[in-house]
Amino acid sequence: MRNKLTDELAICGMNAALAAAEYHPEKINRLFLREDRLKSFLNICRQLAERKRPYKICNDEELEKICKSVHHQGIVAMIEEPQIAPMSMEDLELWANSGKTGIVLHSIGNDHNLGAIARAAAFFDVHFIVLNEGDSEERLTTSAYRIAEGGFEHLEIRKVSDTAAFLKDASRRLLTIGTDTRARQRIGDLGTIVKDRQSGSRPKAKTRPGIALVLGNEETGLPKKVKDQCSCILRIPGTGNIESLNVTQAAALFLHAIFEL
């Protein structure tokens, strides 16, 4: 829930609020919590008091009104409205040179998917998530933060105006992996693809290349113009009883495979 008067966003849910309090306490402007949650948030309450920022003990009904959700789990932290910076060439070079893993999302559907992907991304040591600024549903919302369970506190979020144009540049520096249920190559081929990329680098890379996993809409997949700019296109093999996994399940499987390289 966004507070348009104060330009704030509500973070609710225990894990999401605890992560914000631990890793980015400076972002929290106000805190509302049930009395039974006070022990878990004593440190951030002290910090807020030192910064002359308010915190308040509330009941469930008050918390629901504040965050417009019944899923608050007894805690609501108000942070400044997140501003997503454009992806810069400096970001891309850092990502590539340090062998980071990132995700590029193109029209994945909704903020629940974004939150679930962010949770998997943080679990598997992903550094960046890149969003297309034209995808109105891919936003940092209260629901996305809650479902991410604190994952956003470990990620850099960037935006691009044109996914295909960004990948055209990125694929010169990174191994960009597109996904398609009809792809010839499988997720199991990833290790060989990475080794081939390393052996072809000059000078020979000491670490694996930076990798960007590119994910698209569950129903329509990635547009052809986006797939054409990827280094490779891979699929997850299955029985065929179900046509495909949802985007969050696919993301977790691919990120685990990348993490294991």
Side-chain angles (χ1 to χ4, degrees):
M1 190 280 299
R2 285 172 163 75
N3 187 322
K4 295 181 180 179
L5 294 177
T6 59
D7 291 326
E8 290 178 317
L9 178 73
I11 296 179
C12 62
M14 273 295 288
N15 288 337
L18 281 170
E22 180 176 357
Y23 295 102
H24 296 105
E26 74 285 353
K27 294 196 311 184
I28 299 177
N29 292 331
R30 299 181 291 154
L31 192 69
F32 304 90
L33 68 167
R34 262 194 338 243
E35 189 168 6
D36 62 308
R37 298 303 192 195
L38 183 58
K39 183 177 180 180
S40 299
F41 290 91
L42 280 176
N43 286 338
I44 188 62
C45 286
R46 291 192 188 102
Q47 292 179 49
L48 286 168
E50 291 171 0
R51 292 163 50 202
K52 295 181 170 55
R53 299 282 187 171
Y55 66 89
K56 181 183 177 183
I57 303 299
C58 301
N59 59 36
D60 284 336
E61 184 177 352
E62 291 174 304
L63 292 170
E64 184 177 341
K65 288 180 180 178
I66 291 167
C67 67
K68 300 295 189 288
S69 172
V70 297
H71 304 295
H72 50 73
Q73 296 180 340
I75 180 72
V76 180
M78 301 300 293
I79 66 171
E80 290 187 10
E81 179 80 24
Q83 300 298 316
I84 302 176
M87 187 75 183
S88 68
M89 189 58 66
E90 289 76 16
D91 290 329
L92 183 56
E93 292 292 350
L94 173 64
W95 190 359
N97 293 336
S98 54
K100 299 293 186 182
T101 299
I103 302 174
V104 180
L105 300 179
H106 184 84
S107 190
I108 58 166
N110 57 58
D111 55 353
H112 284 208
N113 283 341
L114 175 58
I117 290 170
R119 181 178 181 178
F123 188 84
F124 290 117
D125 196 29
V126 169
H127 191 67
F128 275 100
I129 291 182
V130 179
L131 305 177
N132 187 303
E133 63 185 12
D135 295 337
S136 60
E137 295 302 320
E138 292 176 27
R139 298 179 294 117
L140 301 183
T141 64
T142 295
S143 293
Y145 267 91
R146 176 176 56 81
I147 292 170
E149 297 275 353
F152 283 117
E153 307 308 325
H154 304 278
L155 298 163
E156 296 288 341
I157 311 297
R158 296 291 185 267
K159 64 182 178 181
V160 296
S161 59
D162 186 324
T163 305
F166 165 70
L167 288 172
K168 184 176 181 179
D169 287 333
S171 294
R172 299 189 184 105
R173 300 168 173 82
L174 306 164
L175 176 63
T176 54
I177 303 168
T179 54
D180 191 312
T181 57
R182 297 171 296 280
R184 179 179 59 82
Q185 292 181 296
R186 302 181 174 198
I187 190 172
D189 298 319
L190 182 57
T192 300
I193 293 169
V194 170
K195 287 180 181 179
D196 289 345
R197 176 93 174 199
Q198 284 180 296
S199 65
S201 63
R202 295 176 181 271
K204 189 174 181 180
K206 295 181 180 179
T207 60
R208 73 160 174 78
I211 294 176
L213 175 64
V214 188
L215 298 167
N217 186 271
E218 290 182 1
E219 295 183 6
T220 59
L222 291 171
K224 184 178 184 302
K225 65 178 182 179
V226 171
K227 289 189 289 186
D228 286 347
Q229 300 302 331
C230 293
S231 307
C232 62
I233 306 294
L234 302 180
R235 66 181 171 91
I236 300 170
T239 62
N241 293 335
I242 299 294
E243 183 178 359
S244 64
L245 300 172
N246 69 37
V247 67
T248 61
Q249 292 170 325
L253 288 175
F254 272 106
L255 293 177
H256 176 261
I258 294 169
F259 183 74
E260 290 287 284
L261 292 173

